[in-house]
Structures are given as structure tokens and as C-alpha cells.
Amino acid sequence: MFTTRPTLHGTFGMVSSTHWLASQSAMAVLEGGGNAFDAAVAAGFVLHVVEPHLNGPAGEVPVILAPAQGAVRVLCGQGPAPRGASAAHYRSLGLDLVPGTGPLAAAVPGAFDAWMLLLRDHGTRRLADVLSYAVGYAERGHSPVERVGETVETVRELFETEWTSSAALYLPGGRPPAPGRLLRNPALAATWRRVIAEAEAAGSGREAQIEAARRVWREGFVAEALAAAAARPTLDTSGVRHRGVLDGDDLAAFAATYEEPVRHDWNGWTVCKAGPWSQGPAFLQQLALLPDDPAGLPPYGTPEYAHTLIEGTKLAMADREAWYGDAADVPLADLLSPEYNAARRALIGPEASYALRPGSPGGRPPALSGHATAVAAEEERFDPLGVSAPGTGEPTVGWDGATRGDTCHLDVVDRWGNMVAATPSGGWLHSNPVVPELGFPLGTRLQMAWLDPGLPNTLTPGRRPRTTLTPSLALRGGEPVLAFGTPGGDQQDQWQVHFFLAVALREPVRGGWDLQGAVDAPNWHTDSFPSSFYPRGMVPGAVTVESRIGAETVEELRRRGHRVTVAGAWTEGRLSAVARDPETGVLSAAANPRGMQGYAVGR
């Protein structure tokens, strides 16, 4: 079949990411003798520079890693709610939702410590080496993609009247960033140079320097600047200036952690995801709702196939809404059990469902936020900040910085068989004012938690807000073979399921999996569940499809009652993927053509 690019094949190393500069920087690390984990860290810091509208150093990152001959692990770079971030405190401020911008929405930043832990435990390069690429692009500049300037233009009024430190960086002389003009961030370059200098002053050992950098972030000049920024009254989406609750003690107490992945077996594959503090298990639930034998599925690409997956997504996401979070035990074994999913599968009828239908795993009654229940009842509700507009997975941003959110992704596999998938996000340029002495803003991940008491995702001090970030890693015969992921907020585990099934169900090409064909395949998503982003809207029955899906499929979906929006031909998803065949050692990679900035490289 036609693809926009070939699937890359080689034996030395493969990288795929959402920006060509990150991909090529990671490849340079591999060429210099580094491994996949060194390369991933270098790429992650480059993404902080070149996609500042999609992620930043004070955001978060979940990582799934598979060391050669080692066990698959999840590295959690999602920080918790600060000690002062109780639902009762936010309600006392007259809020019924966590604001979508401003310091009240800031979780403890998690990305930096996660990158450092990955480098310390699994990398081989020194801190200065892996940071050199990001420092160079921040100091000497890079030509930004169009969407950076478009995002800045959207929030121009906010920057010029309220967030003036952000205007100084992103609107110098009143002009937003534009392709062909170098965008520099000298404050960010100076931050990393100072971190490196203080780390090197701690000793000559690689690990000692990384540990020193972690202390500088948590307790040194970085922590001091972040805590001071959180304490400044800042206009947020509530229309009021609020101080945040993040302080130095919160920053000092955080450390990224390793966890066991959640796994599910389907048709000879084992897919590994982060736990239910992410939306990762929703991917696994969508698989569990399918017949174990693919012969029981409607033929790939047919209208019936799309209908089946759309309805399964609604059931999985309803369970995500009722059961996922870090503030209570999540009955994952029941949610993924054959018995539970057989009963849930029976709910998929020939017509589109509009109701939010969480299940009762183990007989437990589901609990939903009052806000989620209210928006689910308003079938005609349409909020352009609560659903995704047609686009490439980029954020839909309001004048006040409110966004449904988006992110970046990267995958790396090296010649030794190390494999990693990471999804850095948060700390967007429109999430909080730029901290002028650091060159980046705080994040807003707390907006994903509810203020209703007693829910798995209730805002709770010391607990992680449920995140949409969800990298994937798949095994065959117990061997890691495929790492993949995408930006896209609530759409991530929809687009990834479609990609995975396109790989698993279609015939191989050129002797291997057709990664690029699976990336390029016509895609879609549904918004028939509460958004994870402020103001938490939904559109029951809504489905957005790429026009390439075909008129016959659109007509049949509409006949079944789906509210179909036909978007552009190349608008759904920003997938990246790498693979390794354990029998031959052949490595593969593919990247998304949508948005014209994702690239795979390798040899």
C-alpha cells in the first residue's frame, strides 16, 4: 500500500520522535557510542527547547524501558500534588475545577528527575554530554515550527498584559516566533550551564555529577526560583489571580520512581503500560474488549471494524473516569479480567452509544465526579476547549492559556537491544508565566484531578493527578519488539490502539512489520467521555475521522448514530515507533508525517 515514507531498517540504531532535531540529536548520541537511554535523555531535553508549546523542563514524563537482557520497567516522572493542594483548599477559594493555567494547577515537576534517573541507572554518558544539544539550541537558537508562533499569537494579550516574562521571551519586539528566524532562550541555556557547573564541582564521577544535578534541581537555585514563581499571584483561567501551593519542601521531597508495568496479553503480543495513575490501562482494556482470536473481529478497516473500536473506547474511557487515579486502590485485575470484559463486550450494540457507562468490577459501584455526570447528561453540550478540534494533535489554546493539552514523544532502540519509549509533556509556554531566571514555566497537571471528595482521582496532597501520558512497549515471546507512542491528550490511547492493531493485523511488508503503513493509516477518535483538561467538556457520540477513511465508512457510522466530523486527510495522531526483530537483530522505525515535523532516523 502507499505510504508517505518507507519504514526504516538497519542494525545500528533507530530513533523516532515528534521533532527532527530531537531525533537527529539522539542519533548523534548513538553514533558517538551512547546507548538508547543516553540518546533518549538527550532527545528529551532537546524537545523541551524546540517544542516549548508542548512540553518543558518543569513538566512530567513517563518512560517505559526495556534494557537488553533486563526486565521491562516503568519510570514515573509524574510529580504528585503539593502538600497544600487539597481539594478542600481549592473549594475554599470558590473553585469547582482546578484552573487550567497558573500556579494553583502546578504539580511537583517530575521530568527532570526522571531523565536524571534514567541517565544514572541505564545510561553511559556524562550529564554535560547529553545536555550539550539542548544547550546549543537554546543558546544559539533554532528555527521554530509554525505552531510555536501560532500558540504564542493566541495568548498574546495574556502575555502582554499579565505574563510579561513570557512576552519577553516569546514576543520580543512584539513579534512571535516564526520559521526562518532563530528562536533563542539564553536563560534556559544559562540554567543548564549552571546545573552542569555545580554538578561537575561535586566530583569527577559520572553518577556523582548526576546526583549533584538532582540536588541542584530539588534544593538549589532551580528549586528556589520555582517556589518563588509558584508564590506569585497569577491570573489563571478562573479569571482571578491566585498564588500556588508548591513550595521548596515539595520540590525537595520528590524523586522519580521505578514501577512494574501493567501488562495484557492479546494474540501472541504482550503490551506493557504505566499504571492507572496514567490512562495507560485504558489501552489494555480496549484490547481486552476484543475477541482473543482476531478472526472474531470485523475485517480491518471496514465500517464495522471502526464502529467496534469506537464503542470499545467509550467503555474503556468510562472506566478510566470512574476507576483510575492515585488517590484510591484501582481494581485492575478485575478491569482486565476475561469475565469482566466479556460482560462489557456484550454492551456493544449495532448503534452508537451516548451514555457514559462505567462498569462495576468485582461488584463495586462506580463513582463519578458531579461535573462529569453533569456534562455527560448534556448531550448537546459542545465546548471547543473540552474537545479536540481538527488538527494534528496540537493543543487547542484559548486566549487565557486554557488548552486541552498536548505533548511530545520519542522512541529509541540501539544495536545492543536496549529499547525505550517516553512521552514528555507539561510545562507548556502557555501553562504559567516563564520564570525569567530559568527560562521555562511551571506546569499545570493538577487540572486533571477532581475536587469532588472520595474519587480515585480526587486532588490529594502527595498523590499523582491522573495523567493522559501513556508510552507503550510490546513484547512477542517475552522479547521486547516494539516501542511506540503519540501526543494527543485523551486521544493518545485511541490512536495507539489503532496503530498497534494495524501492525498486528495486517500483512508484513519487506519481511517485517509495516510500521510506516500503520502510522499513515487513516485514523479517528471519539470525544464521548469527559476531557482530562479544563474545562472538562465532552460531546456524547462525537467521532472525528480523517477524510481518507472513506465516504462509505462515514455514511455507515452516521447511519449507526455516530456524530461524525470529517477532518482533513492528515489530521489524526502524531505517532512514533521503533522495533527490533530478536531473531535477526534488524531494527526498524517510522514517524508521523502529520504536522510535518516528526521524523525517524537510523542505520
Side-chain angles (χ1 to χ4, degrees), residues 79 175 181 389:
R175 296 201 307 174
R181 294 204 308 262

Side-chain angles (χ1 to χ4, degrees), residues 285 319 322-323 330-337 340 344 358-366:
Q285 283 195 250
D319 277 345
W323 296 106
V330 180
L332 266 183
D334 288 327
L335 288 168
L336 293 172
S337 69
Y340 179 77
R344 298 285 278 165
S360 299
R364 305 168 183 84

Side-chain angles (χ1 to χ4, degrees), residues 1-69:
M1 67 174 291
F2 168 79
T3 60
T4 57
R5 310 164 180 174
T7 297
L8 304 185
H9 296 291
T11 56
F12 180 82
M14 290 284 164
V15 181
S16 181
S17 86
T18 51
H19 197 289
W20 64 86
L21 291 179
S23 296
Q24 192 54 54
S25 297
M27 194 66 202
V29 173
L30 295 180
E31 295 283 4
N35 66 18
F37 309 114
D38 298 312
V41 175
F45 279 95
V46 170
L47 287 173
H48 295 331
V49 177
V50 300
E51 292 193 313
H53 59 310
L54 303 178
N55 79 135
E60 42 277 324
V61 59
V63 182
I64 300 185
L65 58 147
Q69 312 303 319

Side-chain angles (χ1 to χ4, degrees), residues 90 93-106 155 158-159 162-163 233-243 383 385-386 396-405 428 430-433 443-448 451 532-536:
Y90 284 54
L93 298 174
L95 300 170
D96 58 0
L97 291 173
V98 178
T101 59
L104 268 182
V155 290
L158 176 68
F159 280 15
E162 294 280 345
W163 297 8
T234 301
L235 183 69
D236 59 39
T237 52
S238 72
V240 175
R241 295 179 182 86
H242 288 116
R243 289 183 173 87
D383 190 322
L385 288 180
T396 302
V397 183
W399 71 269
D400 55 359
T403 175
R404 70 174 179 85
W428 308 304
H430 48 282
S431 61
N432 263 293
T444 56
R445 192 59 58 175
L446 294 187
Q447 69 179 289
M448 296 187 170
L451 299 183
S532 295
F533 297 89
Y534 182 91
R536 314 301 292 269

Side-chain angles (χ1 to χ4, degrees), residues 366-567:
L368 293 170
S369 161
H371 180 87
T373 305
V375 298
E378 297 176 35
E379 290 193 357
E380 298 303 322
R381 178 185 176 95
F382 183 86
D383 190 322
L385 288 180
V387 302
S388 60
T392 59
E394 300 282 2
T396 302
V397 183
W399 71 269
D400 55 359
T403 175
R404 70 174 179 85
D406 208 3
T407 178
C408 312
H409 186 79
L410 65 93
D411 306 293
V412 189
V413 61
D414 63 28
R415 63 190 185 273
W416 300 289
N418 299 302
M419 185 177 287
V420 59
T423 309
S425 186
W428 308 304
L429 65 85
H430 48 282
S431 61
N432 263 293
V434 167
V435 183
E437 57 265 55
L438 299 179
F440 58 86
L442 286 164
T444 56
R445 192 59 58 175
L446 294 187
Q447 69 179 289
M448 296 187 170
W450 293 112
L451 299 183
D452 309 58
L455 300 176
N457 193 32
T458 295
L459 181 64
T460 304
R463 297 291 185 171
R464 295 165 288 191
R466 190 190 69 218
T467 178
T468 53
L469 308 178
T470 174
S472 303
L473 196 142
L475 298 82
R476 294 277 289 179
E479 291 284 336
V481 296
L482 180 63
F484 58 101
T486 181
D490 294 306
Q491 284 71 56
Q492 289 182 32
D493 274 328
Q494 300 184 59
W495 293 332
Q496 288 188 75
V497 166
H498 306 160
F499 164 82
F500 172 74
L501 292 175
V503 171
L505 296 177
R506 297 199 303 190
E507 292 297 318
V509 295
R510 301 191 187 95
W513 293 307
D514 185 10
L515 299 186
Q516 193 63 52
V519 168
D520 289 353
N523 219 324
W524 68 88
H525 78 270
T526 177
D527 293 297
S528 197
F529 52 86
S531 169
S532 295
F533 297 89
Y534 182 91
R536 314 301 292 269
M538 67 177 286
V539 185
V543 178
T544 301
V545 303
E546 290 182 326
S547 60
R548 294 180 297 122
I549 204 169
E552 176 188 349
T553 296
V554 171
E555 180 180 349
E556 177 60 18
L557 290 175
R558 284 175 173 161
R559 189 191 68 79
R560 290 170 178 265
H562 297 279
R563 295 174 171 175
V564 180
T565 296
V566 179

